[in-house]
Amino acid sequence: MNIKIKIISISLLISITSFSQNAKVSIDFTTQKYIGSESELKREKYFNIHSSFSNWGLASEADYLFDQLDIKFGRTFGGPAPFRKSKTEIPSPSVAKTNGANTVKHWKNAPLFNKYKTNDLIITDHPRSAFQLNTDYDKIAAYNVEYIKNAFPVMPKYYEVMNEPFVHAKDYVKTWAETGGVILEMSKLHKVVADKIHAEIPDIMVGGYSSAWPEVDRKDFDHWNTRMKLFMDTAGESMKFFATHLYDGRNVAGDFNYRSGSNSEAILDLIESYSYKKWGVVKPHLISEYGYTSKGLLGKPYSPELSGTCLTSYNNILMSLLDKPDRLLKSIPFIVGDGNWFYQDKKNNPDGHPYPWVILRKNKDGVKKFTDLKKFYELWKNVSGKRIDITSNNPDIQVNAFLKPEKAYVALNNLHDKEQSIALDFLNKSADHIKNITLRRLYTNTSGIPKLIYFTDLTVMKNIDLKPGETVILECDIDTIQFSNSIIENNSYSKTYLQKIEANKTISFDIDNVETAKKGRAFIKMGIGRAHELSKSPKITINGHIAKIPSNWAGYDQASRDQFFGVINIPIDIEHTSSGTNKIEVTFPDTGGHVSSVILNVERMSKN
């Protein structure tokens, strides 16, 4: 297959401008950044495909996908599935052993196995194959353990007991009123299975619950209390991770909205805060699906416009997840292989169209062709190295940067629905090390078609315009650089969370285990869920010092949602933080809603 990437020389007009700026990005090649203990970009955490090395349909393009683009494998529906054949009988462990032995042949015979096998993989099952109500969970766990022991020539690292189980709770009862009991039983199964597997197969991590619909603030946080909190209370102690699916649009249930930006931050911060409250540690996330979805997409002709929308969502969410390497095990953009099974689905796809999220689709003549979703991986090709310090003064401009020998990669993403003009400030003479820049731009044109364009042979750039939803990567050829500074970022949590807001009533958060310094940066990450007309600007003090509340946050205004639920990142003077415990006080002028979480983010600067 011919691979064509559009290359444009510097002589053509590009949107690098000199007029007034409304955002500033500062980049420092000389300062290595750590988030927790993580600095090296681990591509297996981020640049995955929702498929496995057992996928025969990807074999013809393996060299391009897995060698040239360095795509990693992510997730497969290849779990034990004890109820695959019968919904009333749990097969015995001896049957599991036989079934596992048959499965292992499938893995070993796959054309990708020998070269691309990896343990960095998630296995899961559909709820209908993994769970039945009022059954013996110990017997299910015994089957699952024996199957997993025998089914995999390379033991997968992660096991989600079920995929998106709670949205299928109604499948097991007659009314929605009864689903609370099903959710509880599904949670109990997770615990029983996890305890058995962790005891007998220590190389695999079990977690859940693969939330399809994390609209946790719905009905005054009733959705949180009856789903993720219930799951964490019931099974969380046995979980090695908490799995969540983040989708712009509408995933299975819920309202149409954008999780990109402040909303997804608030969801994950709430999970982290409750984890800290219960166990004194933040158990890691596993984002086993993310992207864009909506009703009415299945069974339609391939749409480049839909791919363009998906690409924007992938990058919006990825840029946020790149900020969490210390508490993220793995993340997978929902891009699948060739989706060959979907062509046989006469109910949802009578005309034989490709699955909307495939990277390879069939033409009517059966010939395979790449979809525009490959542009996600082409944009991020070769991006690797140690994290370096980069900041944005506009929360709608997401930034990440990495450095390796002779290369630096600077990634900028525009969450805003309007063009943004950005000034680029290279600190500590970083620009002096740049010999050449290749600029990669991924955006949708006025017709909604995704475009990936490379500009080559650029010199130092001082300004750049980003189109709505555009992601750019500056690939810089550089001289050898030795780090002269380091900055270490840590998040610290309170045992207080999800507090009702009453007018003029102060809510106090004691933030534990803070490490601070005289030099660096600090932020209060405040998650709130409130009606749109209520204030988003409370009085906030840290250790008695008043903080100034910004009027902007990452992403859109959330006007399409029933209420605002998001994180507002509040910069504070690092000198106002203290080592050990810090007291943050929040006072709103009006009643309504909740403060869902308050986290203190401190970035300590030091000389190497």
Side-chain angles (χ1 to χ4, degrees), residues 96-112:
K97 187 173 183 178
T98 300
N99 290 343
N102 291 331
T103 300
V104 82
K105 296 175 185 176
H106 167 75
W107 285 92
K108 288 183 174 180
N109 290 334
L112 298 176

mmCIF file with all atom_site columns, all heavy atoms in Angstrom, residues 96-112:
data_model
loop_
_atom_site.group_PDB
_atom_site.id
_atom_site.type_symbol
_atom_site.label_atom_id
_atom_site.label_alt_id
_atom_site.label_comp_id
_atom_site.label_asym_id
_atom_site.label_entity_id
_atom_site.label_seq_id
_atom_site.pdbx_PDB_ins_code
_atom_site.Cartn_x
_atom_site.Cartn_y
_atom_site.Cartn_z
_atom_site.occupancy
_atom_site.B_iso_or_equiv
_atom_site.pdbx_formal_charge
_atom_site.auth_seq_id
_atom_site.auth_comp_id
_atom_site.auth_asym_id
_atom_site.auth_atom_id
_atom_site.pdbx_PDB_model_num
ATOM 1   N N   . ALA A 1 96  ? -12.421 -25.322 31.471 1.00 0.00 ? 96  ALA A N   1
ATOM 2   C CA  . ALA A 1 96  ? -11.654 -24.088 31.268 1.00 0.00 ? 96  ALA A CA  1
ATOM 3   C C   . ALA A 1 96  ? -10.261 -24.393 30.760 1.00 0.00 ? 96  ALA A C   1
ATOM 4   O O   . ALA A 1 96  ? -9.737  -23.709 29.871 1.00 0.00 ? 96  ALA A O   1
ATOM 5   C CB  . ALA A 1 96  ? -11.578 -23.305 32.582 1.00 0.00 ? 96  ALA A CB  1
ATOM 6   N N   . LYS A 1 97  ? -9.656  -25.428 31.315 1.00 0.00 ? 97  LYS A N   1
ATOM 7   C CA  . LYS A 1 97  ? -8.316  -25.808 30.889 1.00 0.00 ? 97  LYS A CA  1
ATOM 8   C C   . LYS A 1 97  ? -8.310  -26.233 29.425 1.00 0.00 ? 97  LYS A C   1
ATOM 9   O O   . LYS A 1 97  ? -7.424  -25.839 28.650 1.00 0.00 ? 97  LYS A O   1
ATOM 10  C CB  . LYS A 1 97  ? -7.797  -26.946 31.776 1.00 0.00 ? 97  LYS A CB  1
ATOM 11  C CG  . LYS A 1 97  ? -6.349  -27.316 31.523 1.00 0.00 ? 97  LYS A CG  1
ATOM 12  C CD  . LYS A 1 97  ? -5.871  -28.326 32.543 1.00 0.00 ? 97  LYS A CD  1
ATOM 13  C CE  . LYS A 1 97  ? -4.399  -28.651 32.331 1.00 0.00 ? 97  LYS A CE  1
ATOM 14  N NZ  . LYS A 1 97  ? -3.902  -29.614 33.352 1.00 0.00 ? 97  LYS A NZ  1
ATOM 15  N N   . THR A 1 98  ? -9.318  -27.015 29.027 1.00 0.00 ? 98  THR A N   1
ATOM 16  C CA  . THR A 1 98  ? -9.430  -27.453 27.632 1.00 0.00 ? 98  THR A CA  1
ATOM 17  C C   . THR A 1 98  ? -9.669  -26.263 26.705 1.00 0.00 ? 98  THR A C   1
ATOM 18  O O   . THR A 1 98  ? -9.032  -26.131 25.648 1.00 0.00 ? 98  THR A O   1
ATOM 19  C CB  . THR A 1 98  ? -10.572 -28.465 27.485 1.00 0.00 ? 98  THR A CB  1
ATOM 20  O OG1 . THR A 1 98  ? -10.304 -29.597 28.307 1.00 0.00 ? 98  THR A OG1 1
ATOM 21  C CG2 . THR A 1 98  ? -10.713 -28.908 26.038 1.00 0.00 ? 98  THR A CG2 1
ATOM 22  N N   . ASN A 1 99  ? -10.607 -25.388 27.105 1.00 0.00 ? 99  ASN A N   1
ATOM 23  C CA  . ASN A 1 99  ? -10.894 -24.201 26.291 1.00 0.00 ? 99  ASN A CA  1
ATOM 24  C C   . ASN A 1 99  ? -9.665  -23.306 26.169 1.00 0.00 ? 99  ASN A C   1
ATOM 25  O O   . ASN A 1 99  ? -9.381  -22.743 25.104 1.00 0.00 ? 99  ASN A O   1
ATOM 26  C CB  . ASN A 1 99  ? -12.052 -23.416 26.892 1.00 0.00 ? 99  ASN A CB  1
ATOM 27  C CG  . ASN A 1 99  ? -13.378 -24.139 26.765 1.00 0.00 ? 99  ASN A CG  1
ATOM 28  O OD1 . ASN A 1 99  ? -13.513 -25.077 25.973 1.00 0.00 ? 99  ASN A OD1 1
ATOM 29  N ND2 . ASN A 1 99  ? -14.364 -23.719 27.540 1.00 0.00 ? 99  ASN A ND2 1
ATOM 30  N N   . GLY A 1 100 ? -8.946  -23.170 27.269 1.00 0.00 ? 100 GLY A N   1
ATOM 31  C CA  . GLY A 1 100 ? -7.734  -22.360 27.240 1.00 0.00 ? 100 GLY A CA  1
ATOM 32  C C   . GLY A 1 100 ? -6.683  -22.942 26.312 1.00 0.00 ? 100 GLY A C   1
ATOM 33  O O   . GLY A 1 100 ? -6.022  -22.202 25.570 1.00 0.00 ? 100 GLY A O   1
ATOM 34  N N   . ALA A 1 101 ? -6.531  -24.236 26.333 1.00 0.00 ? 101 ALA A N   1
ATOM 35  C CA  . ALA A 1 101 ? -5.549  -24.882 25.455 1.00 0.00 ? 101 ALA A CA  1
ATOM 36  C C   . ALA A 1 101 ? -5.893  -24.673 23.988 1.00 0.00 ? 101 ALA A C   1
ATOM 37  O O   . ALA A 1 101 ? -5.003  -24.524 23.137 1.00 0.00 ? 101 ALA A O   1
ATOM 38  C CB  . ALA A 1 101 ? -5.477  -26.371 25.783 1.00 0.00 ? 101 ALA A CB  1
ATOM 39  N N   . ASN A 1 102 ? -7.192  -24.679 23.660 1.00 0.00 ? 102 ASN A N   1
ATOM 40  C CA  . ASN A 1 102 ? -7.605  -24.411 22.283 1.00 0.00 ? 102 ASN A CA  1
ATOM 41  C C   . ASN A 1 102 ? -7.340  -22.958 21.905 1.00 0.00 ? 102 ASN A C   1
ATOM 42  O O   . ASN A 1 102 ? -6.937  -22.653 20.776 1.00 0.00 ? 102 ASN A O   1
ATOM 43  C CB  . ASN A 1 102 ? -9.086  -24.739 22.115 1.00 0.00 ? 102 ASN A CB  1
ATOM 44  C CG  . ASN A 1 102 ? -9.363  -26.228 22.190 1.00 0.00 ? 102 ASN A CG  1
ATOM 45  O OD1 . ASN A 1 102 ? -8.509  -27.043 21.848 1.00 0.00 ? 102 ASN A OD1 1
ATOM 46  N ND2 . ASN A 1 102 ? -10.550 -26.586 22.661 1.00 0.00 ? 102 ASN A ND2 1
ATOM 47  N N   . THR A 1 103 ? -7.566  -22.060 22.853 1.00 0.00 ? 103 THR A N   1
ATOM 48  C CA  . THR A 1 103 ? -7.349  -20.640 22.584 1.00 0.00 ? 103 THR A CA  1
ATOM 49  C C   . THR A 1 103 ? -5.882  -20.325 22.357 1.00 0.00 ? 103 THR A C   1
ATOM 50  O O   . THR A 1 103 ? -5.525  -19.503 21.499 1.00 0.00 ? 103 THR A O   1
ATOM 51  C CB  . THR A 1 103 ? -7.884  -19.789 23.752 1.00 0.00 ? 103 THR A CB  1
ATOM 52  O OG1 . THR A 1 103 ? -9.283  -20.032 23.906 1.00 0.00 ? 103 THR A OG1 1
ATOM 53  C CG2 . THR A 1 103 ? -7.661  -18.308 23.495 1.00 0.00 ? 103 THR A CG2 1
ATOM 54  N N   . VAL A 1 104 ? -5.019  -20.962 23.117 1.00 0.00 ? 104 VAL A N   1
ATOM 55  C CA  . VAL A 1 104 ? -3.597  -20.648 23.000 1.00 0.00 ? 104 VAL A CA  1
ATOM 56  C C   . VAL A 1 104 ? -3.082  -20.978 21.593 1.00 0.00 ? 104 VAL A C   1
ATOM 57  O O   . VAL A 1 104 ? -2.163  -20.313 21.083 1.00 0.00 ? 104 VAL A O   1
ATOM 58  C CB  . VAL A 1 104 ? -2.796  -21.392 24.096 1.00 0.00 ? 104 VAL A CB  1
ATOM 59  C CG1 . VAL A 1 104 ? -2.496  -22.838 23.703 1.00 0.00 ? 104 VAL A CG1 1
ATOM 60  C CG2 . VAL A 1 104 ? -1.501  -20.650 24.399 1.00 0.00 ? 104 VAL A CG2 1
ATOM 61  N N   . LYS A 1 105 ? -3.675  -21.971 20.953 1.00 0.00 ? 105 LYS A N   1
ATOM 62  C CA  . LYS A 1 105 ? -3.290  -22.291 19.577 1.00 0.00 ? 105 LYS A CA  1
ATOM 63  C C   . LYS A 1 105 ? -3.633  -21.126 18.644 1.00 0.00 ? 105 LYS A C   1
ATOM 64  O O   . LYS A 1 105 ? -2.877  -20.811 17.712 1.00 0.00 ? 105 LYS A O   1
ATOM 65  C CB  . LYS A 1 105 ? -4.002  -23.555 19.119 1.00 0.00 ? 105 LYS A CB  1
ATOM 66  C CG  . LYS A 1 105 ? -3.623  -24.813 19.897 1.00 0.00 ? 105 LYS A CG  1
ATOM 67  C CD  . LYS A 1 105 ? -4.481  -26.004 19.455 1.00 0.00 ? 105 LYS A CD  1
ATOM 68  C CE  . LYS A 1 105 ? -4.213  -27.238 20.304 1.00 0.00 ? 105 LYS A CE  1
ATOM 69  N NZ  . LYS A 1 105 ? -5.109  -28.365 19.929 1.00 0.00 ? 105 LYS A NZ  1
ATOM 70  N N   . HIS A 1 106 ? -4.801  -20.516 18.888 1.00 0.00 ? 106 HIS A N   1
ATOM 71  C CA  . HIS A 1 106 ? -5.215  -19.367 18.068 1.00 0.00 ? 106 HIS A CA  1
ATOM 72  C C   . HIS A 1 106 ? -4.190  -18.242 18.171 1.00 0.00 ? 106 HIS A C   1
ATOM 73  O O   . HIS A 1 106 ? -3.811  -17.628 17.159 1.00 0.00 ? 106 HIS A O   1
ATOM 74  C CB  . HIS A 1 106 ? -6.589  -18.882 18.540 1.00 0.00 ? 106 HIS A CB  1
ATOM 75  C CG  . HIS A 1 106 ? -6.981  -17.537 18.006 1.00 0.00 ? 106 HIS A CG  1
ATOM 76  N ND1 . HIS A 1 106 ? -7.384  -17.348 16.707 1.00 0.00 ? 106 HIS A ND1 1
ATOM 77  C CD2 . HIS A 1 106 ? -7.005  -16.315 18.605 1.00 0.00 ? 106 HIS A CD2 1
ATOM 78  C CE1 . HIS A 1 106 ? -7.663  -16.068 16.521 1.00 0.00 ? 106 HIS A CE1 1
ATOM 79  N NE2 . HIS A 1 106 ? -7.438  -15.420 17.655 1.00 0.00 ? 106 HIS A NE2 1
ATOM 80  N N   . TRP A 1 107 ? -3.728  -17.958 19.388 1.00 0.00 ? 107 TRP A N   1
ATOM 81  C CA  . TRP A 1 107 ? -2.742  -16.892 19.580 1.00 0.00 ? 107 TRP A CA  1
ATOM 82  C C   . TRP A 1 107 ? -1.433  -17.235 18.876 1.00 0.00 ? 107 TRP A C   1
ATOM 83  O O   . TRP A 1 107 ? -0.845  -16.397 18.184 1.00 0.00 ? 107 TRP A O   1
ATOM 84  C CB  . TRP A 1 107 ? -2.484  -16.681 21.074 1.00 0.00 ? 107 TRP A CB  1
ATOM 85  C CG  . TRP A 1 107 ? -3.585  -15.971 21.793 1.00 0.00 ? 107 TRP A CG  1
ATOM 86  C CD1 . TRP A 1 107 ? -4.646  -16.545 22.441 1.00 0.00 ? 107 TRP A CD1 1
ATOM 87  C CD2 . TRP A 1 107 ? -3.749  -14.566 21.945 1.00 0.00 ? 107 TRP A CD2 1
ATOM 88  N NE1 . TRP A 1 107 ? -5.457  -15.585 22.987 1.00 0.00 ? 107 TRP A NE1 1
ATOM 89  C CE2 . TRP A 1 107 ? -4.928  -14.352 22.703 1.00 0.00 ? 107 TRP A CE2 1
ATOM 90  C CE3 . TRP A 1 107 ? -3.019  -13.459 21.531 1.00 0.00 ? 107 TRP A CE3 1
ATOM 91  C CZ2 . TRP A 1 107 ? -5.379  -13.087 23.042 1.00 0.00 ? 107 TRP A CZ2 1
ATOM 92  C CZ3 . TRP A 1 107 ? -3.470  -12.186 21.880 1.00 0.00 ? 107 TRP A CZ3 1
ATOM 93  C CH2 . TRP A 1 107 ? -4.636  -12.009 22.617 1.00 0.00 ? 107 TRP A CH2 1
ATOM 94  N N   . LYS A 1 108 ? -0.953  -18.442 19.065 1.00 0.00 ? 108 LYS A N   1
ATOM 95  C CA  . LYS A 1 108 ? 0.346   -18.830 18.509 1.00 0.00 ? 108 LYS A CA  1
ATOM 96  C C   . LYS A 1 108 ? 0.334   -18.909 16.989 1.00 0.00 ? 108 LYS A C   1
ATOM 97  O O   . LYS A 1 108 ? 1.361   -18.684 16.336 1.00 0.00 ? 108 LYS A O   1
ATOM 98  C CB  . LYS A 1 108 ? 0.784   -20.176 19.093 1.00 0.00 ? 108 LYS A CB  1
ATOM 99  C CG  . LYS A 1 108 ? 1.216   -20.090 20.551 1.00 0.00 ? 108 LYS A CG  1
ATOM 100 C CD  . LYS A 1 108 ? 1.718   -21.438 21.048 1.00 0.00 ? 108 LYS A CD  1
ATOM 101 C CE  . LYS A 1 108 ? 2.282   -21.354 22.454 1.00 0.00 ? 108 LYS A CE  1
ATOM 102 N NZ  . LYS A 1 108 ? 2.776   -22.665 22.931 1.00 0.00 ? 108 LYS A NZ  1
ATOM 103 N N   . ASN A 1 109 ? -0.831  -19.220 16.414 1.00 0.00 ? 109 ASN A N   1
ATOM 104 C CA  . ASN A 1 109 ? -0.919  -19.339 14.955 1.00 0.00 ? 109 ASN A CA  1
ATOM 105 C C   . ASN A 1 109 ? -1.104  -17.995 14.255 1.00 0.00 ? 109 ASN A C   1
ATOM 106 O O   . ASN A 1 109 ? -0.999  -17.911 13.036 1.00 0.00 ? 109 ASN A O   1
ATOM 107 C CB  . ASN A 1 109 ? -2.078  -20.267 14.573 1.00 0.00 ? 109 ASN A CB  1
ATOM 108 C CG  . ASN A 1 109 ? -1.787  -21.716 14.923 1.00 0.00 ? 109 ASN A CG  1
ATOM 109 O OD1 . ASN A 1 109 ? -0.631  -22.120 14.999 1.00 0.00 ? 109 ASN A OD1 1
ATOM 110 N ND2 . ASN A 1 109 ? -2.836  -22.493 15.149 1.00 0.00 ? 109 ASN A ND2 1
ATOM 111 N N   . ALA A 1 110 ? -1.397  -16.952 15.016 1.00 0.00 ? 110 ALA A N   1
ATOM 112 C CA  . ALA A 1 110 ? -1.626  -15.640 14.413 1.00 0.00 ? 110 ALA A CA  1
ATOM 113 C C   . ALA A 1 110 ? -0.331  -15.151 13.749 1.00 0.00 ? 110 ALA A C   1
ATOM 114 O O   . ALA A 1 110 ? 0.762   -15.284 14.319 1.00 0.00 ? 110 ALA A O   1
ATOM 115 C CB  . ALA A 1 110 ? -2.090  -14.649 15.464 1.00 0.00 ? 110 ALA A CB  1
ATOM 116 N N   . PRO A 1 111 ? -0.416  -14.561 12.567 1.00 0.00 ? 111 PRO A N   1
ATOM 117 C CA  . PRO A 1 111 ? 0.802   -14.148 11.843 1.00 0.00 ? 111 PRO A CA  1
ATOM 118 C C   . PRO A 1 111 ? 1.607   -13.070 12.545 1.00 0.00 ? 111 PRO A C   1
ATOM 119 O O   . PRO A 1 111 ? 2.796   -12.915 12.278 1.00 0.00 ? 111 PRO A O   1
ATOM 120 C CB  . PRO A 1 111 ? 0.264   -13.659 10.498 1.00 0.00 ? 111 PRO A CB  1
ATOM 121 C CG  . PRO A 1 111 ? -1.191  -13.405 10.709 1.00 0.00 ? 111 PRO A CG  1
ATOM 122 C CD  . PRO A 1 111 ? -1.639  -14.341 11.771 1.00 0.00 ? 111 PRO A CD  1
ATOM 123 N N   . LEU A 1 112 ? 0.985   -12.307 13.461 1.00 0.00 ? 112 LEU A N   1
ATOM 124 C CA  . LEU A 1 112 ? 1.709   -11.255 14.162 1.00 0.00 ? 112 LEU A CA  1
ATOM 125 C C   . LEU A 1 112 ? 2.398   -11.762 15.428 1.00 0.00 ? 112 LEU A C   1
ATOM 126 O O   . LEU A 1 112 ? 3.176   -11.028 16.052 1.00 0.00 ? 112 LEU A O   1
ATOM 127 C CB  . LEU A 1 112 ? 0.743   -10.121 14.554 1.00 0.00 ? 112 LEU A CB  1
ATOM 128 C CG  . LEU A 1 112 ? 0.045   -9.387  13.417 1.00 0.00 ? 112 LEU A CG  1
ATOM 129 C CD1 . LEU A 1 112 ? -0.932  -8.376  13.973 1.00 0.00 ? 112 LEU A CD1 1
ATOM 130 C CD2 . LEU A 1 112 ? 1.054   -8.715  12.498 1.00 0.00 ? 112 LEU A CD2 1
#
